[in-house]
Amino acid sequence: MTDDTRNSIHTGQDAIVEALGKGKLKRVRKLVRPMHPGKLASLLEALEPDQRQTVWQQVADEDEAAVLRHLDPQMAATLHRDSDHGDVDADLHDQEENVFTHIGSVRDALQAGKYKRVGKVFRHMHPAKAAGLLEALPPDERSAVWETLDSERSGKVLVHLHEEVRAKLALEMDDEELVAAARKLDLDDLVDLIQALPSGSGRQLLLSMDEQKRKQIAEMLSYHEDSAGGLMNVDHISVRADVRIGSVLRYLRLLEDLPDHTDKVMVVDRKNRYLGVLRLSRMVTSLPEAKVSEVMDDEFKPISVESSSHEVARLFEDLDMLSAGVVDGDGLLLGRITVDDVMDIIREDSERAMMNMAGLDEEADMFAPILTSTRRRSVWLGINLITAFLAAWVIGQFQGTLEQIVALAVLMPIVASMGGIAGSQTLTLVIRGLALGQVVGGNARVLLIKELGIGLLNGVLWALVVAALAILWFGSWQIGGIIGAAILLNLVCAALAGLVIPLVLRRFGIDPALAGGVILTTVTDVVGFFAFLGLATLLLI
C-alpha cells in the first residue's frame, strides 16, 4: 500500500468517524459509496468493530460482493452475516403493512445496528404510513431512521408528517439534502413544506428553485393556508373549447405522464377564463371530429380561490369529486384541487376535533419534550380547575344542608352525571351539524324545540326511575321527589346548554370542540347541584 493510499484512507477514516460521532449516516453514505472497493475494504479494517458495522450498513447492496473480496475472510464472513439480506424481504412480505407490525422490527434493527433492514422497511411502505411509523418512534430513534432515508424518499415522507415533527426533521437535513428532497415534491406539497419550516430555511429553499417554479410557489404562498388557493396545485391540463377531440387526444399522448388524479381536462377560452370541464371518460368515447364544446360539461362549477378549506371539503364530499378547477374573481383558471388534498383536510379536521376535546394540539409531537408537553396541558388543567372550584363553591353554599341529611351527598353525583351525559349528546350533535353546515340561524330554533322536547321526555322518564330507586334506598318520599325534580330540571337545562353553547362560541370565533365540553360540564354541574341542594334546603330544612 502506497503512502498516498494510506493518507487517503486516513483522511477518509477521520471524516467518517466525525460523521459517525454526529450521527450523520447520510454523510457517511455519501463518503462511502463513491469509494473503490479495495480502498473501502482497507478503511473498514481500520475502524473499530461497532464503527465498522455501522459503515458496512451504508454500503450499497450491489457493491457488497466487490468489497468482501478485498477483506480478510473472517471479517468478510462477519460482515456478510451482518448484511441481513436473507430474511428481510420475506419478513416484509409476511407482515401486514401497517405501523403496528413494523415498530418492533424497526426498533430491534436500530438496536442491532441493522440500518439496511430499517431502510428496506421504509422503502416498502407508502410515504404516509412511513410518516406514521416515524412519529411513533422516540426522537433519538426517529433521527436515526431519518438518516437512513435517501433524499427522494425523505421528501415524500416529509409532507405526510405533522407540522412539528416535519420541521424538526427538516432542520436535521443540510441545505443540499433539503433542496434535493424538495425538488421531488409536487408544488402544493412543496408549499406545505415551506410553510412548516422556520422562515429562514423556508426562504432559502424557495430561493433554490428555478425562476418559474419560484414564481408559482410565491403566488401559491400568497393565499391563506386554509383556503382553496392554499390547497390548489397548478399542475392541470387545459384546452380550448374550439379544438377537436382528436387534437386533444394527440396532445395528451405527447405528454410523458398525466398529473395525478386527472379525471377531467379544464376547458378555457383564449384569455384563460374557465368555461367547464372535459371528462376523460367522455373524451375517449367521443368521435375524434367532435369539438370540445360539443362534449364538455359547462355546468361543472369551479371553486373560488377564496373559499375556505372546509367549504372545499364539503363540496368534494357532497358531489363525489376527484378534482375541481380553482378560479379567481374574474373567472381566470388558477389551478385545481384534487381529492388527496381534500382527504388530508378531512383527516386533519377529525384529528383536531378529537385532540381539542382533550385540550391538546393536533400538531403536537407525541414524543415532544416533557416541559413542552407539560406547558401545553397545564393551561387546560388550569381552566378545568377553575370550573371545578365553581361547582365546589355551589356545594359549599349548602354545607349545612349536607351535614344534616347525609343521603343528599350520596345522591348528589347522580344529578350532575345525568345532566352531563344528556348535554354531551346534544353538544356532539350540534358541533357535527355546524361542521357540516347543517345548523344555521334558520333551523336553530326548530332544533332547540326538538332538543328541549327530548330533554323534557327523558327528564320525566329518568326522574321517575331515580326517584323510585331513592325511595326504596332511603325510605323517604321527600328525597325521591327532590332528586326526581332536580334531574328533570337539569336534563332540560342540559339540552338548552348543549345547543346554545356551541352556537355562541362559533359566533365569537371559538372552536366549539375545544371549549364546549368544559363549559357544558360546568353548567350541568352547577345547575344540578344548585337545583338538588336548593330544593332540599327549601323542603327539608
Side-chain angles (χ1 to χ4, degrees), residues 222-455:
S222 66
Y223 300 109
H224 192 276
E225 182 179 359
D226 293 326
S227 68
L231 288 175
M232 74 175 182
N233 203 337
V234 296
D235 63 343
H236 62 277
I237 299 175
S238 58
V239 297
R240 292 203 301 270
D242 56 353
V243 301
R244 299 188 182 279
I245 295 296
S247 300
V248 177
L249 289 172
R250 286 193 296 272
Y251 167 68
L252 295 180
R253 293 190 187 103
L254 293 175
L255 301 176
E256 294 183 3
D257 196 10
L258 295 180
D260 292 338
H261 306 290
T262 298
D263 63 319
K264 58 180 72 73
V265 175
M266 307 298 165
V267 183
V268 296
D269 61 14
R270 294 182 180 274
K271 295 184 179 180
N272 199 41
R273 285 194 294 261
Y274 178 93
L275 299 178
V277 296
L278 174 59
R279 302 179 188 276
L280 294 187
S281 57
R282 183 71 187 277
M283 179 170 55
V284 298
T285 57
S286 300
L287 295 175
E289 296 80 14
K291 289 188 176 183
V292 170
S293 58
E294 297 173 0
V295 297
M296 63 180 280
D297 182 358
D298 55 3
E299 295 184 358
F300 190 89
K301 302 301 181 183
I303 297 174
S304 170
V305 71
E306 302 296 338
S307 298
S308 70
S309 58
H310 303 291
E311 293 174 358
V312 173
R314 193 176 304 122
L315 280 173
F316 268 73
E317 183 179 6
D318 293 342
L319 303 179
D320 294 327
M321 296 189 296
L322 292 178
S323 65
V326 179
V327 299
D328 64 9
D330 297 324
L332 296 177
L333 181 65
L334 300 177
R336 67 174 186 139
I337 296 174
T338 53
V339 67
D340 58 327
D341 297 314
V342 175
M343 290 299 296
D344 290 339
I345 293 296
I346 295 173
R347 175 182 58 82
E348 290 169 5
D349 284 347
S350 64
E351 288 183 0
R352 182 183 296 112
M354 179 180 67
M355 299 290 278
N356 282 350
M357 290 182 72
L360 299 176
D361 182 357
E362 80 279 4
E363 292 291 356
D365 181 5
M366 183 168 61
F367 292 101
I370 293 176
L371 290 178
T372 302
S373 297
T374 302
R375 185 176 63 253
R376 287 169 174 163
R377 300 187 192 188
S378 62
V379 175
W380 196 251
L381 290 173
I383 295 173
N384 279 272
L385 181 62
I386 294 173
T387 62
F389 268 109
L390 178 60
W393 177 82
V394 172
I395 296 173
Q397 302 306 303
F398 301 96
Q399 184 175 352
T401 305
L402 288 171
E403 289 175 351
Q404 296 184 45
I405 307 175
V406 180
L408 299 179
V410 177
L411 297 173
M412 187 170 60
I414 298 176
V415 181
S417 176
M418 293 292 287
I421 294 297
S424 296
Q425 293 172 339
T426 302
L427 181 73
T428 302
L429 180 69
V430 175
I431 289 177
R432 177 182 178 274
L434 289 173
L436 297 176
Q438 296 175 343
V439 177
V440 293
N443 61 11
R445 183 177 300 176
V446 178
L447 184 60
L448 174 61
I449 295 173
K450 175 216 168 188
E451 290 300 319
L452 287 176
I454 294 173

